[in-house]
Amino acid sequence: MQDPLIYLTLAAAGLSGLAIVAVTALRGWNGWLDLKRAELARRTDESAPPSTATRIEVADLKERIRKLEAIAAGVDL
């Protein structure tokens, strides 16, 4: 005959382990949701119109690219 205390101990240990796994999974899920919320907030901030300095820099880069493409094509500027 087996001792009932062994079954009770195993059941308590299993329930404790299950609770630990569930809490860990829920914390991970909440962390993932926080990450996605932060990504969405950052994405809405990035949709703001670019500043004047950024526009000038982009125009300058486009002009440099146009000149480099002309050089690569063998066109004299």
Side-chain angles (χ1 to χ4, degrees):
M1 185 168 130
Q2 296 223 352
D3 190 21
L5 189 58
I6 292 175
Y7 292 123
L8 185 62
T9 304
L10 287 175
L15 187 59
S16 298
L18 183 63
I20 290 170
V21 168
V23 168
T24 304
L26 287 174
R27 284 188 182 175
W29 176 253
N30 283 332
W32 184 80
L33 287 176
D34 289 341
L35 175 68
K36 291 301 174 183
R37 284 187 191 112
E39 286 178 357
L40 286 173
R42 186 181 59 201
R43 195 174 297 163
T44 57
D45 291 344
E46 289 175 356
S47 64
S51 66
T52 305
T54 305
R55 289 181 183 178
I56 292 171
E57 186 176 343
V58 168
D60 181 48
L61 289 173
K62 285 182 181 180
E63 180 66 22
R64 290 173 65 188
I65 289 172
R66 187 185 65 77
K67 287 180 181 180
L68 288 172
E69 287 175 344
I71 291 171
V75 176
D76 228 3
L77 293 177

